[in-house]
Structures are given as structure tokens and as C-alpha cells.
Amino acid sequence: MKLKIKKFKELFKNIEKNYPIILYFVVANFINAVLFRIFTTGSFAIRALFFDFGVVLLLAGFSLLVKKKNFYFIIVSIILIACCVINSIYYNYYSSFVSVSLLATSVFLKDFGDVVLDFAIRITDWIYLWELIGLFIVIKKYKFDVKIYKNWFLEMAIISLISLGVGCALPPYTSFSRLIKLWNRVSVVNNFGVYVYQVDDIVQSLKPTFNNIFGYDGALKEVKEYYGKNGNVQSVNDYTGIFEGKNIIVIHAESLQSFTLGLSFNDEEVTPNLNKLAKEGIYFSNFYAQVGVGTSSDTEFTYATSLLPANTGTVFVNYYNNKFVTVQNMLNNKGYYVFSMHGNNGDFWNRDAMHINMGYDKFYSKSSFVIDEEYGLGLSDKSFFRQVVPMISDIKNNIGEPYYGTLITLTNHTPWSDTEIYSDYDVSMTVSIDGEDVVRDYLEGKTMGNYIKAVNYMDEAIGQFINDMDEAGLLENTVIVIYGDHDARLGKKQFEYMYNYDPISDRVLNERDDNYVEFNDYDYELSKKVPFIIWTKDTQFELDVDTPMGMIDAGVTLGNMLGIYNKYALGKDIMNISKEDGIVVFKDGSYITDKIYYNSKDNEAYALSPGVISDDYIKKNSEYADDIISVSYNLITYDLIRDLESAK
Ligand code: GP9
Ligand code: MN
């Protein structure tokens, strides 16, 4: 059908005059989409505007095909507003966007309701509701007049497709791959708009249920080629098998970040117990979590399998029935009794189901403990550890050795709003002014201060645990492993304040001040290091390993010491590689080496050491990062380990 420009002009004139509700709907929801990006990622990418406009115009056009137009506009508006509000709140807390596949974990949302309300609600989260208020006013004012009705759907659909086409034609072209694998949700929202993102997420979330239609063969081929080219060779080095047959206790330390180790306030260390364990044991000081929306559960998964977390949803919830090779099931096969303990509900993160599938013989969850002291999300760490020691003693005496146990802490979970109940750690600052001692609040009452108090509490709990285990004779022939499960989601401003508060002038220094400490976006990413410590009472290792290392490498490194080997592991044995070969790949394609932090979103390399970085160096590492993200994605999405194992 040949459409003339004149006809389009007539279309706009008619819409404005006769279909004001359509006009309002398009303009208002387009504005909301733009406001959403401004209030969350702060991005104003032009191409996203074309996608936003194309989507809302197409949705408006569909109103011409339905009978109950006003009802249609109200329902669609509620859906679009909900998409903005939920993602806005979620972004405050996770710096990412909601995956509908997570909504399956209602327990997760219930337990997080209070945390998010406490921590993340802002007026700008609800501002999108203005559209619905305006819609009711417009509907009330303008009646739909059938007499002048013209079905412009085709014309509107064409304009919408032109707009979407312009969006597709604009750079950067790399972002299309992110639509498929959803590695980088922020990049998808910035480039395609929040409406396209959410539709994409729904498609990707549904994809696993139809995965045999979507590219199974290609995925299997890609994975086989990868392992054919890069199969990780089993390490043989001075650490091979040094802990074989020993008992292993792993402490999954909630939100523990490395910057707190070695930190002191008023001459008191924040983490004296962890500092001692790190000094005496093997301390991996350049270590990062590699989580996605699954936070704790992503870390448990990546540590156990040496694969990166799922791109859509979480393995613990959406792929818990898949077959994986894990540290736990390999030790089980070597005769270990393998258990996990955690003071929270067993169905949180679907652990009841996933832990058994991972190879744990038993998961002792909330119902296994006396809930006699609750802070934050649940049972306090000190009470948890007090109860754990006799339970381990029972396991040793009644089930036998060797055993492997994962102890998951809870108290140090955001928002740390009740630290005054359980911590008197002082984060104020005393300064002498004109010979007078003046006490400044400094971090007292600040989120950073509350976090540090909570970390100090957790450190005390771990110190108490080690002592109680020693008194119970449970440290003999036993290895203690501690890792921080991910960063605490502290805002960048919390760090800028901590590093730039000046007690003399009682203000925060800025760039114009001499001793101002810059804390840029890369410093912020690098501050997300978490500790990984391997300690045993029997041996003083006194080793600090600063090779760039990710959670994906932890199970391989410890596994070599335990005499186990996972041929599907994508991580490396850190004791077997040089510092130059260490690389930490994050789910969005960004990565850290000893030379750079590569930011995949902005395609930018931030130097971490002097020297020139070649394009080849970036290309090689970027291809490596994309490979392991893609192989992880395929193994998880298509449950390929099951097929690879059965094909043996
Ligand atoms: C929940 C606890 C915290 O039981 O492990 O989970 P997180 O919020 O860190 O994923
Ligand atoms: Mn956690």
C-alpha cells in the first residue's frame, strides 16, 4: 500500500484532534522510559529513544484493534509503570535489572521486601505513576467518538517499525549479542530501553523451557570445541593433594569485603581474627566474586562448579535439576560426608533442592537450629557458630571422617540497620584541636559505619568459632576455608566519604583540596575484592597470593590440594599459574588482569600497572572472557554436562 507523506500528516493531525488518549499514552510512556534511564543508569543513549518510541507507539496502535480501548490503555499503562517501578527499586539495590525468572522465588522476594524497603526505596522509584493519574484525567475528559473513528493501526505500526529500524541501525553493534545472552542488563537497558529489555528478559527466561528448539546443537558443538582447544590440564605442583583426606570446613562469609581486613579505627582492628588467619594461612588478596542476580547462590554455584552463574535467573532456582560436577559431589565420591549449615529458611535460594543436587548429604537449615538470637535476616552468627560446633562433633563421632562442611553466615547481610544491638565497635574519630580532644562522628550512623560494625561482629563470631572448634579438638587434621561471598553493595559515595572526611575541618575534602583521595568508578569496582583464606592449625603457610583470581578459580585451586579434578572447570589452579596469567571475568564481559580493568560496557581499559597495553592483549583476553561466559551459558542453559557425561 503506497502511503503518502500527506497521509502521515493527516494521521498526526487526526490523532492529536480525535485521539488525544492515544497521543497522551505515547508521550507519557515515552517520557517515563527516558526518566527511567536518567534516574537509574544515568544513560541518555539516543538509540534507546527510538526503541522506546517504537514500542509505545506500537502498543498504542493495538488499542485501535480492541473494543475496550480505555481498559486496554489502563492495563498496558499499569504494566509499563510496574516495569519501571520494580526495575528502579531493584537497580538501587543490585545495580542491575530484574529477571522475571527470579520472580519464581517468592521466598526470595518476601525476605527481601523489608530489606529493599529499608535500604532502597526512593521517591524517584514511584514517579512513573504520574502517567496513570494523567491517563484517568484524559480518559474522563475525552470520550472516544466512534463516528470519527479511523483505523490507523497499519500506519502506526509502520512508523513504529521505522523507529525500531532506526534504533537497530545506530551503533554500537556489539550490544545485539547482549540481547541474546543478557550478560549485561545495564547495557541492554541503556541501548534498547527498559521496555525492550523486559521483553527480552521474558523471552530469555522462557528460552530454557524450549531450549531444544533454540540452538541445542550449536551449543553442544561450541562447548566441545572449547574443551577440545582449552581443556584444563590437571595440576601437578607442590600443593597437589596436600590436604587429601583432611576434614574441610568452608565459611561462606556473607558480604565480607577485603578492604575491611587490615582496617582499624581508634587503634582497634576491624577484623583481628581474619587478619591472623590470613597472615598464618594462604591469603588470596586479589580475589573477586563473580556473581549475577543470584548473589549468595551464584557464589555457591561458581565456587562448587567453576562455571560462571546463569545469565538469566539463577542456577539455584531455574536450573537446580541440571547435572553439574561439583567439589561436593567429587568429595562425596571419595568417601567424604558432605554437609551444609545455614540459619535461614531452607527454601531461600531453593537451597533445599539445589544443595542435594550439588552433592551435599545433608543441608542443616533454620529448623536444625534453636533461633535464640536474631539480627538482620535471621539467626545471629555467634549463636549459629555456637550451635554448629557440637553438631560437627556429632558428625565426627557418629558419622565419621573425613567430612566437608559449608557454613553460611547471615548477620553481615545488608542493611545492617540494627548494629547498635550487637556491636559497640567505635567508628567515630577523635582529633586534637587547639590542644583539646574533639570527637567527630565520622562513620557513626553512616551505612559504611554500620557495615564495618557488622563485619567486626562477624569477625568476632568467626574467632569464637575457631576457639570453640579448637577446645572441642576439631581443628586437628582439619582445614578452614573462608571466602567473602560477594561485595556488600555499598554505594560509591560511602567510600568517598570514608576516604575523604577531614576531622579537623569536619567536612569532606574535594578535588581542590591537597590531600583529596580520588575514588573513581574503577577504584569502586576494584574495592569489591573479597577475601579467600585457606588456614590449618597444623601448618603455617604465611603466603599472600596476589594473582588476579575469581570465585571460578577457588574450587579448582582448593580441589588440587584435596586431590580432586573437575574436567569441566573453567577456572584455573592459581598455584599453577603466573600472576600474568590470572584473569577475573565478570558476567558482563568485563575482566581484571594484573595489568588492566577492562570495562566491557564502555569498551575501556583502565591501567593497573605501568606499561603500554596492546590491542592484541585486549582482544585475546576479551575473546577468552567471551568464551568462558558463552561456555558457561551453554552448559547451564542446555544442561550439557548431563549429555557429555552420558555420552562417555
Ligand atoms: C540468604 C543469605 C543471603 O539465606 O544467604 O543471600 P544473598 O542476599 O547474599 O544472596
Ligand atoms: Mn550473600
Side-chain angles (χ1 to χ4, degrees):
M1 174 196 285
K2 205 165 168 320
L3 291 159
K4 294 190 186 62
I5 298 297
K6 190 168 74 49
K7 205 159 184 215
F8 278 104
K9 277 193 178 141
E10 189 191 322
L11 165 69
F12 281 112
K13 202 162 56 48
N14 262 283
I15 283 195
E16 188 198 355
K17 191 159 145 286
N18 302 320
Y19 305 91
I21 302 174
I22 286 186
L23 186 65
Y24 171 82
F25 174 86
V26 171
V27 172
N29 285 294
F30 175 75
I31 291 171
N32 266 353
V34 177
L35 287 177
F36 177 81
R37 278 196 306 287
I38 292 172
F39 291 138
T40 53
T41 64
S43 159
F44 201 72
I46 299 296
R47 74 182 311 204
L49 300 176
F50 288 96
F51 284 104
D52 291 333
F53 178 72
V55 167
V56 292
L57 184 66
L58 192 62
L59 290 171
F62 281 122
S63 71
L64 298 170
L65 307 179
V66 298
K67 276 213 175 351
K68 296 182 181 289
K69 299 183 188 331
N70 292 341
F71 179 70
Y72 169 83
F73 280 124
I74 292 168
I75 294 301
V76 176
S77 292
I78 290 171
I79 293 169
L80 296 181
I81 290 167
C83 174
C84 291
V85 171
I86 294 170
N87 276 299
S88 179
I89 294 175
Y90 192 86
Y91 184 80
N92 298 335
Y93 184 62
Y94 283 105
S95 304
S96 185
F97 297 109
V98 171
S99 170
V100 290
S101 48
L102 258 191
L103 299 183
T105 59
S106 55
V107 172
F108 168 70
L109 286 177
K110 180 171 66 58
D111 282 84
F112 270 87
D114 59 329
V115 169
V116 173
L117 284 172
D118 217 11
F119 189 85
I121 285 293
R122 301 173 312 171
I123 184 70
T124 46
D125 297 327
W126 301 95
I127 199 162
Y128 311 101
L129 285 167
W130 74 272
E131 190 275 351
L132 197 59
I133 298 161
L135 180 67
F136 281 113
I137 295 167
V138 171
I139 286 175
K140 197 156 170 44
K141 186 170 169 35
Y142 299 99
K143 290 275 171 282
F144 182 76
D145 179 351
V146 182
K147 285 195 293 308
I148 49 100
Y149 177 68
K150 265 191 149 301
N151 188 334
W152 298 98
F153 173 71
L154 189 62
E155 286 78 356
M156 290 174 76
I158 289 170
I159 297 170
S160 161
L161 291 175
I162 292 169
S163 181
L164 295 171
V166 170
C168 290
L170 292 172
Y173 306 108
T174 48
S175 41
F176 279 99
S177 66
R178 292 181 182 158
L179 264 181
I180 310 295
K181 304 231 165 149
L182 263 185
W183 299 342
N184 190 332
R185 295 168 186 275
V186 172
S187 165
V188 171
V189 168
N190 287 346
N191 284 288
F192 299 96
V194 65
Y195 303 143
V196 167
Y197 159 74
Q198 206 66 72
V199 170
D200 179 39
D201 172 65
I202 292 167
V203 169
Q204 299 302 331
S205 298
L206 291 173
K207 199 168 156 182
T209 43
F210 307 107
N211 69 27
N212 285 313
I213 308 166
F214 291 102
Y216 174 87
D217 299 335
L220 184 59
K221 180 170 169 289
E222 183 185 325
V223 161
K224 283 182 173 173
E225 278 170 5
Y226 175 84
Y227 284 118
K229 238 177 15 193
N230 308 287
N232 64 338
V233 178
Q234 187 164 1
S235 309
V236 178
N237 55 42
D238 297 343
Y239 295 88
T240 304
I242 61 170
F243 295 141
E244 196 151 2
K246 287 184 178 290
N247 302 315
I248 311 292
I249 295 294
V250 178
I251 298 176
H252 169 116
E254 177 54 47
S255 299
L256 174 63
Q257 286 186 236
S258 299
F259 79 88
T260 58
L261 273 67
L263 207 52
S264 285
F265 289 82
N266 305 301
D267 297 328
E268 192 186 332
E269 290 174 86
V270 176
T271 59
N273 297 292
L274 289 164
N275 293 344
K276 179 176 178 293
L277 296 173
K279 187 169 175 301
E280 295 172 358
I282 306 174
Y283 175 45
F284 298 87
S285 53
N286 198 2
F287 180 67
Y288 294 83
Q290 293 163 291
V291 297
V293 294
T295 48
S296 270
S297 69
D298 281 351
T299 280
E300 288 190 63
F301 172 71
T302 296
Y303 165 88
T305 62
S306 187
L307 301 178
L308 287 176
N311 292 309
T312 315
T314 68
V315 172
F316 268 49
V317 172
N318 308 93
Y319 304 95
Y320 65 91
N321 264 330
N322 279 21
K323 179 172 182 55
F324 297 108
V325 175
T326 66
V327 167
Q328 291 83 349
N329 55 36
M330 285 191 281
L331 289 176
N332 219 309
N333 297 336
K334 282 175 77 87
Y336 272 73
Y337 175 71
V338 184
F339 63 91
S340 53
M341 296 182 174
H342 183 43
N344 202 356
N345 302 317
D347 60 357
F348 203 104
W349 281 131
N350 198 30
R351 285 186 175 110
D352 279 335
M354 184 64 189
H355 276 202
I356 298 305
N357 186 31
M358 285 168 75
Y360 285 109
D361 291 300
K362 184 170 170 59
F363 171 33
Y364 301 81
S365 64
K366 187 172 186 177
S367 52
S368 303
F369 295 90
V370 175
I371 310 301
D372 53 3
E373 186 180 60
E374 287 191 276
Y375 300 139
L377 280 190
L379 182 63
S380 76
D381 289 348
K382 285 186 178 176
S383 177
F384 171 67
F385 281 126
R386 263 197 302 276
Q387 298 182 57
V388 159
V389 174
M391 290 164 78
I392 293 176
S393 211
D394 281 348
I395 288 168
K396 179 180 177 179
N397 300 329
N398 305 322
I399 297 175
E401 297 174 279
Y403 48 77
Y404 174 103
T406 303
L407 311 178
I408 302 169
T409 71
L410 198 50
T411 307
N412 192 39
H413 194 284
T414 182
W416 317 292
S417 50
D418 50 1
T419 48
E420 73 287 347
I421 305 171
Y422 58 81
S423 169
D424 54 8
Y425 187 77
D426 181 3
V427 290
S428 67
M429 194 188 267
T430 303
V431 62
S432 173
I433 299 178
D434 304 331
E436 283 258 315
D437 277 355
V438 177
V439 179
R440 301 290 195 199
D441 283 347
Y442 187 30
L443 296 181
E444 287 294 340
K446 296 276 186 288
T447 304
M448 177 63 86
N450 292 338
Y451 171 66
I452 287 168
K453 289 169 184 276
V455 168
N456 175 259
Y457 169 85
M458 177 164 66
D459 178 79
E460 286 179 353
I462 291 173
Q464 163 215 307
F465 169 67
I466 299 291
N467 291 339
D468 292 353
M469 286 281 281
D470 201 10
E471 281 166 21
L474 293 171
L475 285 187
E476 315 310 322
N477 195 37
T478 295
V479 182
I480 303 289
V481 179
I482 301 171
Y483 62 72
D485 71 340
H486 48 73
D487 72 282
R489 301 279 186 272
L490 292 158
K492 181 165 170 278
K493 288 189 171 31
Q494 296 290 329
F495 288 91
E496 286 168 341
Y497 182 90
M498 176 167 75
Y499 293 133
N500 283 298
Y501 173 74
D502 173 34
I504 304 289
S505 56
D506 194 21
R507 68 181 180 86
V508 184
L509 301 179
N510 57 48
E511 295 83 349
R512 290 182 299 283
D513 292 298
D514 295 343
N515 42 358
Y516 169 70
V517 174
E518 191 199 356
F519 191 80
N520 62 34
D521 290 342
Y522 290 104
D523 296 320
Y524 181 51
E525 292 307 319
L526 296 167
S527 77
K528 294 178 179 176
K529 285 185 190 66
V530 294
F532 182 51
I533 301 168
I534 299 175
W535 178 87
T536 173
K537 181 184 173 187
D538 314 339
T539 316
Q540 297 280 315
F541 289 95
E542 293 174 352
L543 195 54
D544 180 325
V545 180
D546 64 351
T547 303
M549 177 182 185
M551 193 59 75
I552 204 169
D553 305 314
V556 179
T557 304
L558 179 65
N560 174 50
M561 298 172 180
L562 293 170
I564 55 176
Y565 166 68
N566 171 2
K567 69 179 182 183
Y568 300 109
L570 297 177
K572 305 176 180 184
D573 172 7
I574 292 299
M575 312 311 277
N576 220 38
I577 62 169
S578 67
K579 187 171 174 183
E580 289 67 40
D581 291 336
I583 179 170
V584 184
V585 175
F586 300 104
K587 275 178 45 39
D588 67 356
S590 299
Y591 55 82
I592 291 174
T593 68
D594 65 319
K595 295 180 179 58
I596 58 170
Y597 179 104
Y598 175 74
N599 169 352
S600 80
K601 207 169 36 178
D602 304 328
N603 191 22
E604 192 177 68
Y606 179 74
L608 299 179
S609 64
V612 176
I613 302 295
S614 69
D615 289 347
D616 279 351
Y617 178 83
I618 292 176
K619 184 169 177 296
K620 180 189 74 139
N621 286 298
S622 299
E623 283 170 359
Y624 173 81
D626 288 358
D627 276 351
I628 67 167
I629 291 170
S630 195
V631 168
S632 285
Y633 173 86
N634 288 331
L635 288 174
I636 294 167
T637 306
Y638 299 101
D639 195 9
L640 292 180
I641 290 177
R642 185 186 306 284
D643 299 347
L644 291 167
E645 285 294 282
S646 55
K648 275 197 313 186

